[in-house]
Amino acid sequence: MEMVSYDEDPEFSMVYENFSEVSDRKAAVKSPSAEDKKGTAAEPDTGVKICRLVAVGLGLMCIIQAALNISLRLAHFSLNNSLTEERDECKKINLGIEARFRNLTEERDELYRTVYDTTVIIQNLTKERNELKRMLNDSTQQVWVSFNGSFYYVSSTKKTWQDSRNDCLQRGADLMIINSQEEQNFARRFRKYMWVGLNDKQTEGRWEWVNGNAMTTSYWSEGEPNGGRRENCGNVKNFEYDYSWNDEDCSTSLFWVCEKKTFP
Ligand code: MMA
Ligand code: CA
């Protein structure tokens, strides 16, 4: 605590000066002129009393001043103390907040990483799902039925005769060639209006199979073939009947049946 010398204290200086004045006055009172001493014997007692009163008053003021000074300094000290405590408390709270903030930042970054990882997983799973869908689609389109040394595949979509043939070729097969009564009955059992590997595109009326062999045994429906130059591709149409074939415009979209030899 800062100490203030009495000399620097203006109040005290004043008091001191006043006191000096009083002393001077006292001195003046104590050493009256010869005439005074003679005439008024009670007067000096009253002056002394006044002087003492003034001195006591000044002393009291001094004490009050000192007391005020001390209490002010105490108040200042305690205020300072409580402010320091509050500041320290605030510092602690701030440290807590900073730590919480760091934790939350870390948690946020961790969540960002998790979201990113999850996004990557979802992307990979989506790719895998699409690949599996494609494979499933392919496999369902590749149900091959074995019969008498060949595998047969009947489409679930419709195409022109040439596109149908191309599809079979892509599958390592060709459109079905029917060269026996058993095979004809087998074809009818699919119960589908479908292209087979028969055409007379090259020469009207000269029907041949996709392997280049001429058609020898035929199972035309009644009245077929009737299309002349308009209908040059063959199909199994009336599968309810033994004789079920029909000639048709090659650009017609129909189901189709592929055949590939078990041991080529
Ligand atoms: C369709 C078509 C022909 C076939 C007749 C039989 C109307 O045309 O399939 O190729 O000969 O039907 O009625
Ligand atoms: Ca016809």
Side-chain angles (χ1 to χ4, degrees):
M1 198 194 289
E2 175 191 356
M3 296 295 288
V4 179
S5 83
Y6 284 117
D7 291 343
E8 285 167 16
D9 195 319
E11 189 83 8
F12 190 83
S13 301
M14 181 200 69
V15 168
Y16 185 84
E17 277 162 25
N18 287 349
F19 193 77
S20 301
E21 278 171 27
V22 168
S23 300
D24 291 349
R25 254 181 260 143
K26 266 187 182 173
V29 166
K30 270 185 179 174
S31 53
S33 63
E35 304 110 76
D36 290 339
K37 271 184 183 176
K38 277 182 195 169
T40 56
E43 268 176 39
D45 283 348
T46 314
V48 167
K49 274 180 187 169
I50 291 166
C51 280
R52 277 182 187 157
L53 224 70
V54 169
V56 167
L58 288 172
L60 277 172
M61 279 172 74
C62 256
I63 290 165
I64 290 166
Q65 162 79 17
L68 269 174
N69 200 356
I70 289 166
S71 65
L72 214 66
R73 276 165 205 281
L74 280 175
H76 177 257
F77 179 73
S78 70
L79 186 68
N80 206 26
N81 260 5
S82 70
L83 282 176
T84 307
E85 275 170 22
E86 271 182 50
R87 186 203 58 198
D88 291 348
E89 188 62 22
C90 282
K91 273 185 183 172
K92 261 188 250 166
I93 293 170
N94 193 36
L95 281 175
I97 290 171
E98 277 175 5
R100 183 88 188 105
F101 182 75
R102 271 196 301 277
N103 284 352
L104 283 173
T105 308
E106 275 169 27
E107 271 179 48
R108 184 205 58 193
D109 292 348
E110 183 63 36
L111 282 172
Y112 271 135
R113 276 193 291 275
T114 310
V115 166
Y116 176 78
D117 290 351
T118 311
T119 309
V120 170
I121 289 170
I122 288 172
Q123 279 172 353
N124 287 346
L125 284 175
T126 306
K127 269 188 212 162
E128 271 180 50
R129 184 204 58 191
N130 291 342
E131 177 68 7
L132 284 170
K133 261 188 183 177
R134 204 182 56 75
M135 284 167 69
L136 184 69
N137 204 28
D138 283 5
S139 70
T140 50
Q141 282 180 1
Q142 290 218 2
V143 176
W144 292 84
V145 182
S146 174
F147 174 78
N148 219 4
S150 283
F151 289 120
Y152 299 87
Y153 160 78
V154 177
S155 75
S156 51
T157 59
K158 294 177 177 182
K159 287 183 191 293
T160 65
W161 186 89
Q162 191 56 55
D163 286 349
S164 300
R165 186 170 184 210
N166 289 343
D167 177 83
C168 292
L169 292 169
Q170 270 180 12
R171 295 168 192 271
D174 208 334
L175 283 169
M176 182 180 182
I177 295 167
I178 299 170
N179 32 31
S180 71
Q181 176 76 55
E182 292 77 43
E183 206 173 3
Q184 160 64 10
N185 289 336
F186 172 74
R188 287 172 52 213
R189 296 222 303 269
F190 287 116
R191 304 187 66 77
K192 278 242 166 121
Y193 182 7
M194 60 189 184
W195 289 124
V196 295
L198 188 63
N199 74 94
D200 73 338
K201 289 188 208 185
Q202 260 187 354
T203 310
E204 171 56 29
R206 203 172 72 87
W207 289 91
E208 60 177 43
W209 296 105
V210 285
N211 64 1
N213 289 352
M215 179 201 72
T216 48
T217 316
S218 63
Y219 300 91
W220 295 111
S221 282
E222 199 169 316
E224 305 296 344
N226 63 356
R229 288 248 44 97
R230 278 184 309 104
E231 301 183 334
N232 302 322
C233 293
N235 53 58
V236 171
K237 183 179 180 182
N238 305 304
F239 45 79
E240 300 92 341
Y241 298 94
D242 290 345
Y243 290 82
S244 54
W245 297 1
N246 172 44
D247 63 339
E248 193 94 34
D249 184 336
C250 296
S251 64
T252 307
S253 281
L254 296 177
F255 296 113
W256 67 96
V257 56
C258 304
E259 175 184 2
K260 65 175 158 191
K261 293 263 169 245
T262 313
F263 301 107

